[in-house]
Structures are given as C-alpha cells and as structure tokens.
Amino acid sequence: MTEGRDRSHSGANQDLLINPFIGKNPNEMSDMTNKFLEDTKIDEDHHEYIRKGAFLAQAPDAFHEKNPAGLKLKPFEEQALEQEDPEKGSRWDQPVLLYALIGCCSMGAAVQGWDETAVNQAQIYYSTDLGIDSNKADLLRNPDILLGLVK
C-alpha cells in the first residue's frame, strides 16, 4: 500500500477540514462570506461579525496589520482576542455564568443518566406489578399498547 501518498493527501485534506480558508486571498474571502450571508439570509446586524470571524479564522493575526478587506476591530473585540491569546490571556478567564451553566448542565446530565438507569432496570417488573402483562388474559384488548405507554 502507498502510505506516503495517502499521508500527503490526508494532510492537505486535514488542513482544509481544520481551516477551509487556507490559501484564500482577501477577495476570495469576501466572496465566500458574501455568498454564505446571501445563502443563509442571516440578519444584516450580524454581517460585520461574520466577516471579521472569517478573516480571524483564516489567520488569528489578521487584524494586527492593515486588513485588506477594510474591517476594523472595536476596542472590546481586541480585548476579547487578547484574553483568548495563549501568550497574553488565560484559558480559564471566562465569565462565572459560563461555569455555572456548565455545572448545571453536567448535574442535569448526571441525574438524567441515573433516571434512565433506574427506569431501564425497573421495566422488568412494570408489566406484572401493574397487571398489564401481555401473557395474561385480561379485559384489555391490546395490552401491548398500554405496556408500551407505561414503559
């Protein structure tokens, strides 16, 4: 098998999957973002942010020099980018509300998992305890439907 050839192709493809903007010039970038905005019909209030995001996705230092597309970051956007910079900021410097949200979602997922485990194990006993066993001859015309509703 020709592993060397596969690696070079997979490396180039991998780079494109990671960053589809690699090697695009500013005009191509603008055309791509305009087409995306036109296709998705995103509200015009967000167009500037999406354009800036596309250029930042292409090159994190896109706004350190003169931006060819004429986009300029606002001071609060520059500050946010500095916080995300691994050399200047801290990855743990996030809003407290984000950590609270993560904690709540994690607890909810844990409780849901416990609940599903308990319900799945209890299904063995539902039909006989509730008297809707499909093997019993009772007054129900189709006990399987009722059993499905209970489970």
Side-chain angles (χ1 to χ4, degrees):
M1 186 170 211
T2 56
E3 287 184 29
R5 192 185 82 188
D6 291 341
R7 278 193 204 134
S8 65
H9 286 325
S10 68
N13 290 338
Q14 185 70 20
D15 289 344
L16 279 176
L17 287 174
I18 291 171
N19 189 347
F21 302 119
I22 289 176
K24 305 285 185 202
N25 66 40
N27 291 334
E28 289 176 312
M29 290 287 294
S30 293
D31 291 343
M32 287 174 67
T33 53
N34 288 337
K35 183 177 179 343
F36 172 79
L37 292 169
E38 184 180 309
D39 291 347
T40 57
K41 296 176 179 38
I42 292 176
D43 189 25
E44 287 190 30
D45 295 342
H46 305 293
H47 286 198
E48 181 184 359
Y49 295 113
I50 291 172
R51 285 188 178 96
K52 289 177 185 178
F55 280 95
L56 284 170
Q58 183 185 35
D61 60 345
F63 292 96
H64 291 299
E65 305 156 1
K66 183 177 182 268
N67 187 303
L71 297 171
K72 183 163 174 44
L73 292 178
K74 296 174 182 160
F76 73 91
E77 293 170 332
E78 289 176 3
Q79 182 183 8
L81 285 176
E82 282 182 17
Q83 281 182 319
E84 291 182 10
D85 186 355
E87 295 173 8
K88 296 178 184 175
S90 168
R91 79 167 80 179
W92 304 110
D93 189 18
Q94 302 296 330
V96 174
L97 194 57
L98 177 63
Y99 289 112
L101 177 66
I102 291 169
C104 285
C105 290
S106 299
M107 291 301 293
V111 169
Q112 179 186 3
W114 291 333
D115 185 45
E116 286 180 17
T117 301
V119 168
N120 286 338
Q121 291 174 356
Q123 284 184 3
I124 299 169
Y125 308 107
Y126 279 162
S127 57
T128 53
D129 288 350
L130 297 175
I132 52 175
D133 193 0
S134 60
N135 296 329
K136 279 184 162 181
D138 57 4
L139 300 175
L140 297 173
R141 297 182 125 218
N142 194 349
D144 291 334
I145 292 175
L146 186 57
L147 187 59
L149 288 172
V150 171
K151 284 184 178 182

